[in-house]
Amino acid sequence: MDSFVSEPRPASYETLSNNVLKRERRARERQVREEEKKKVTTNKIPENQRQQVANDDTMDPTQFLSNRIKSLALLKESGVNPYPHKFDISMSITEFIDKYRSLHVGEHVENTEISLAGRILNKRSSSSKLYFYDLHGNGAKIQVMADARHSDMDENEFCKYHSGVKRGDIVGICGFPGKSQRGELSIFPRSLVVLTPCLHMLPRHAITSNSDEAQSKKKTRNHSWTPGITRNPGTYILRDQETRYRQRYLDLMLNSEVQKIFRTRAKIISYSRDFLDNLGFIEVETPAMTMTVGGAAARPFITHHNELDMKLYMRISPELYLKKLVVGGLDRVYEIGKVFRNEGMNLTHLPEFTMFEFYMAYADYNDLMDIIEKLLSGMVKELTGSHKIKYHGNGFDSEPVEIDFTPPFRRIDLIEELESRANLSIPKDLSSETANKFLLEACEKFDVKCPAPHTTTRLLDKLVGHFLEETCINPTFIINHPEIMSPLAKWHRSKPGLTERFELFVNKRELCNAYTELNDPQVQRQRFAEQLKDRQLGDDEAMVLDESFCSCLEYGLPPTAGLGMGIDRLAMLLTDSPNVKEVILFPAMKPQD
C-alpha cells in the first residue's frame, strides 16, 4: 500500500489559519466581557446597602457620629479591636508612585506584594464586587481598586466589609500594583483593613449645580500649585477660614494644597540653615523668658516664675543674647525661634511669630546686604525655579503682582529719598524740638496718621511708611536710618546723625532689619537713656536699659553685623498667602462661644 503523501499547502494557508485563530480569540474575549457585564448587572449593591451609602452623604452629622460609635461598640463586644496597634508598610504612597508610574495601561504586577497605608478621602462603587477608593498619604494620592476576585474574603464578606468602610478612615492595604484600563496608577488589594475609623462625617465640595461641579473639576485638574505661583483656594473642599484655622488637621487632610504650603515653609527654614552652615555659622538657642526686655522696640508679654517668685518677660528678640555669644568668641551664630510681641493682629502681624537672626563678627551692614541678597535670590530660584513670583498681596479677589528677586536689589537712602519724594528739608538735629515740630506738621500736611505719643521716631517712621515703603514692591533696601530710630545700630562712618542700618522691604512690607552693631558701651548707655525719654512720653515700645548687656560690651564686642528676618512673612510671599494665618499651623484665635 502506497504511503499517503499530502499535497503542498497554498502560500496563503498559514496566514489564513492565523486570521481564523485571531477571530476566534476575539469572539471568546467578547463573550467574557458580556459575561462580566451580566455579573455586574446581577451583582449590583443590594438596595439596603445602596441606601446606606446615599444616607452617609445626606445624614445629619450628629446621627452619623452616633451610628459609627454604635458600630464600634458592636465590634468591641464581638472581640474585634477596631484600633490595631501596628501595621507594617513596605513603602510610602510617594515611593509607590515613583516606582510604578511607568507601568503601561492595563498592566498588573500580580507577583509583587506591597503594603501601603493612608487615609481614604473618596469612595465609589458600581457593584458589590468592585469598590474604588482614593488613598491619601504624605501629600500624595493613588487609587485603590478593591475587586472581590483578588480578595482573600469570599464575596459576601467582601461586600459586607467594604460597605462599612467610610470616607476619612485610615486603612492598611496589602496587594499588587497596576494601572487601570483608563491608565490610572492603582493598588489592587488582596486584603484591606481599617486601622483607625473616622467617626465624623467629612465635608465634601460645596457644589450647587452640574456646571459648578464641572468647573471645579476642571480647576482642580489644571491647577497643581507649586511655590511662587498663585494659589486657587476656590478648589478647596474645606473653605471656611474659621474652621480651617481652628481645626488645622481638617484643613491639611482635605485641602492638599495646604500641605504643600507648610512643606514649603519647612524648605525655607532648611535652606536658610544650610546657607549659613556653609558659611561657618553655628545654630544656638537662647532664653525665651528674660528678666529684661531688649533687642527691639515692642510691647512684651509678662509672665510670672513661681519658683523664683519674680516677673519675667517673653522675649521680643534674641538679639542681645546672640551678641553676648559673639563677645564670648562664637564669631558666627544664628537662631531660628519664636518671639512674642504683645501687639495688634492683622493680615501680616501676629503676637507670636518666628524670627531668623544671625550675627557675624568682623563684618558690617554692607556685607549683610550682599549675604541676604544671595540667600533670598538663591532660595526663590531653588524653590520656584525662577527669580520671579506671583503674589496676591491685596487678597485673592484682586490681581496678583509680580515680584522679582533677581539681584542686585534696589537701595535707597532713607532721609535723602524721603526729602526728595515729599519735597521736605528735614532738620539735621533730629533730637531737637524743632525737628519734632517739623515732622508733626509734615504728617498733618500730608494727612499721615500717627497716633500719640508724637515722638520724633514715630513721626518719622509714619512718613517713611507713607512715602518710601509704598514704592517697594520688588526687594528694596532702605538704608542709613537716623540714630534716633536705631538705638542698637552703630553710627554711620561718613554721615553724621545716621547709622549703618538697613531694612529690606518686599511688597511694601518689612522683611529684614539689619545693621552694623553698636559696640561702644558708653554710647550704648547713652542711646538707652534717650529711649527712656520716649518711654516717659508714653511710648511703651521704646527700649529699656539692659545693664547686663552694657557690662558685656565692656569686655569687647568685635566689629559685628547682625540681621533679623521674619520667617512667616517670607513664607507668605513664596506660598501666595495674603493672610499670615495661612502659614502658621495653629494661629492664635479668639475662643468660640
Side-chain angles (χ1 to χ4, degrees):
M1 184 175 176
D2 294 336
S3 61
F4 175 79
V5 179
S6 62
E7 295 180 359
R9 295 177 180 176
S12 61
Y13 181 86
E14 187 171 344
T15 301
L16 182 62
S17 177
N18 286 337
N19 289 339
V20 171
L21 291 174
K22 287 180 181 178
R23 284 198 298 271
E24 291 177 350
R25 186 169 64 250
R26 291 196 195 102
R28 286 197 299 271
E29 289 174 351
R30 281 197 300 272
Q31 183 179 358
V32 169
R33 286 197 295 269
E34 291 298 326
E35 290 175 355
E36 288 297 323
K37 287 181 181 178
K38 291 179 181 178
K39 288 180 181 179
V40 170
T41 302
T42 56
N43 288 290
K44 285 184 178 178
I45 300 177
E47 179 62 30
N48 62 333
Q49 291 181 18
R50 280 207 311 275
Q51 191 64 38
Q52 181 183 4
V53 172
N55 287 344
D56 285 346
D57 290 335
T58 59
M59 187 182 299
D60 176 77
T62 304
Q63 185 61 48
F64 183 93
L65 173 63
S66 176
N67 289 351
R68 292 234 74 184
I69 291 174
K70 290 177 182 177
S71 297
L72 292 181
L74 291 174
L75 284 176
K76 292 175 182 178
E77 289 175 8
S78 65
V80 176
N81 177 18
Y83 295 93
H85 286 67
K86 180 178 172 61
F87 182 83
D88 290 316
I89 61 172
S90 59
M91 64 176 62
S92 69
I93 293 177
T94 305
E95 292 169 335
F96 179 90
I97 294 171
D98 291 341
K99 186 170 183 178
Y100 295 107
R101 68 168 78 243
S102 60
L103 291 178
H104 299 299
V105 174
E107 182 181 359
H108 294 175
V109 191
E110 296 195 28
N111 60 348
T112 298
E113 179 84 1
I114 290 172
S115 57
L116 301 176
R119 188 184 295 273
I120 289 171
L121 291 184
N122 199 13
K123 174 185 177 182
R124 56 203 181 277
S125 177
S126 60
S127 80
S128 61
K129 293 186 178 182
L130 186 61
Y131 288 82
F132 297 88
Y133 301 100
D134 289 342
L135 187 70
H136 290 246
N138 200 33
K141 181 199 81 168
I142 61 164
Q143 177 175 260
V144 179
M145 287 186 65
D147 192 325
R149 293 177 299 176
H150 301 136
S151 175
D152 294 338
M153 300 177 176
D154 63 37
E155 290 185 8
N156 289 334
E157 289 176 324
F158 179 89
C159 178
K160 183 178 180 181
Y161 191 85
H162 282 273
S163 65
V165 178
K166 308 296 184 187
R167 291 178 62 242
D169 287 353
I170 297 173
V171 301
I173 297 171
C174 292
F176 59 88
K179 277 193 176 177
S180 69
Q181 293 300 327
R182 294 186 176 183
E184 186 164 358
L185 181 61
S186 307
I187 184 168
F188 296 80
R190 299 194 186 280
S191 67
L192 182 149
V193 59
V194 175
L195 303 175
T196 307
C198 178
L199 304 187
H200 291 274
M201 181 185 294
L202 296 183
R204 287 187 181 272
H205 270 295
I207 304 298
T208 57
S209 67
N210 291 336
S211 61
D212 285 345
E213 183 174 13
Q215 187 68 17
S216 176
K217 288 181 178 179
K218 182 179 179 181
K219 286 181 179 179
T220 304
R221 183 170 58 250
N222 295 336
H223 185 91
S224 179
W225 181 82
T226 56
I229 68 173
T230 57
R231 281 167 50 202
N232 192 358
T235 64
Y236 287 6
I237 294 175
L238 182 63
R239 302 180 193 179
D240 180 70
Q241 277 194 339
E242 283 286 308
T243 305
R244 288 182 56 224
Y245 299 156
R246 293 182 187 278
Q247 296 177 271
R248 183 66 86 181
Y249 50 90
L250 275 182
D251 192 25
L252 293 165
M253 184 192 306
L254 296 171
N255 300 328
S256 59
E257 195 169 274
V258 175
Q259 283 201 22
K260 293 181 181 179
I261 290 172
F262 288 100
R263 292 179 189 279
T264 300
R265 180 190 170 103
K267 289 178 181 178
I268 289 170
I269 294 173
S270 296
Y271 187 96
S272 302
R273 279 197 171 103
D274 292 343
F275 184 90
L276 290 188
D277 289 345
N278 289 332
L279 291 177
F281 285 77
I282 63 170
E283 185 174 7
V284 297
E285 293 179 303
T286 61
M289 294 187 297
T290 63
M291 288 185 288
T292 57
V293 180
R299 184 184 299 114
F301 284 92
I302 302 173
T303 185
H304 185 81
H305 195 304
N306 288 338
E307 183 65 24
L308 298 179
D309 191 23
M310 63 184 298
K311 179 171 69 174
L312 292 178
Y313 303 94
M314 302 299 292
R315 69 176 177 189
I316 58 175
S317 169
E319 176 172 347
L320 302 188
Y321 281 106
L322 291 173
K323 285 193 277 194
K324 288 178 180 180
L325 296 178
V326 179
V327 171
L330 299 180
D331 288 347
R332 298 186 178 191
V333 295
Y334 73 93
E335 182 172 13
I336 301 173
K338 293 288 189 181
V339 295
F340 311 88
R341 299 181 182 180
N342 199 359
E343 299 168 348
M345 297 170 61
N346 56 38
L347 293 179
T348 59
H349 291 83
L350 282 180
E352 177 185 358
F353 60 98
T354 302
M355 182 69 81
F356 167 62
E357 289 203 22
F358 67 87
Y359 292 81
M360 184 177 184
Y362 312 109
D364 65 10
Y365 79 141
N366 293 303
D367 298 311
L368 293 199
M369 277 189 267
D370 293 337
I371 287 175
I372 199 65
E373 200 171 72
K374 291 176 183 176
L375 170 62
L376 292 177
S377 62
M379 177 191 296
V380 172
K381 180 73 172 178
E382 173 76 18
L383 297 187
T384 71
S386 170
H387 283 129
K388 297 179 180 179
I389 66 171
K390 297 285 189 179
Y391 182 59
H392 282 97
N394 297 314
F396 290 113
D397 293 334
S398 63
E399 286 296 314
V401 297
E402 182 178 86
I403 302 174
D404 189 354
F405 282 84
T406 303
F409 299 164
R410 184 168 67 118
R411 302 183 183 190
I412 58 177
D413 187 283
L414 186 146
I415 294 294
E416 291 178 6
E417 191 74 11
L418 178 58
E419 289 183 327
S420 173
R421 288 186 174 273
N423 194 25
L424 297 173
S425 181
I426 300 173
K428 299 302 180 184
D429 184 6
L430 289 171
S431 62
S432 66
E433 288 295 326
T434 302
N436 181 268
K437 182 180 179 182
F438 179 89
L439 293 173
L440 181 59
E441 291 174 352
C443 285
E444 292 172 349
K445 174 183 176 181
F446 295 109
D447 196 27
V448 175
K449 305 299 181 184
C450 180
H454 294 144
T455 63
T456 301
T457 299
R458 289 168 63 87
L459 293 168
L460 193 54
D461 184 63
K462 295 298 181 181
L463 287 169
V464 170
H466 182 77
F467 285 103
L468 303 189
E469 295 173 12
E470 287 296 309
T471 70
C472 303
I473 302 300
N474 292 332
T476 303
F477 293 114
I478 299 179
I479 65 173
N480 301 336
H481 295 56
E483 288 182 7
I484 198 169
M485 299 178 74
S486 314
L488 296 171
K490 198 163 189 174
W491 62 88
H492 198 285
R493 65 195 81 180
S494 62
K495 297 182 178 182
L498 304 183
T499 61
E500 295 190 346
R501 175 187 174 190
F502 71 81
E503 290 178 295
L504 177 62
F505 280 80
V506 183
N507 194 52
K508 309 178 185 179
R509 299 288 181 181
E510 178 194 343
L511 182 62
C512 302
N513 184 27
Y515 33 83
T516 305
E517 300 295 336
L518 177 57
N519 60 348
D520 183 328
Q522 302 307 316
V523 175
Q524 185 64 82
R525 283 193 176 92
Q526 180 184 343
R527 295 271 188 88
F528 280 145
E530 291 168 355
Q531 287 283 297
L532 180 59
K533 296 177 183 177
D534 284 350
R535 290 189 71 86
Q536 291 172 342
L537 291 173
D539 186 358
D540 55 2
E541 294 183 359
M543 292 187 191
V544 297
L545 171 65
D546 187 330
E547 182 56 39
S548 70
F549 176 65
C550 293
S551 297
C552 177
L553 290 183
E554 291 175 343
Y555 286 89
L557 173 69
T560 299
L563 177 144
M565 177 172 68
I567 291 293
D568 308 305
R569 285 190 179 174
L570 181 56
M572 289 172 66
L573 290 169
L574 296 185
T575 62
D576 190 29
S577 299
N579 188 334
V580 67
K581 291 180 180 179
E582 291 283 330
V583 297
I584 295 177
L585 282 169
F586 298 103
M589 306 280 286
K590 284 186 177 180
Q592 291 177 309
D593 293 336

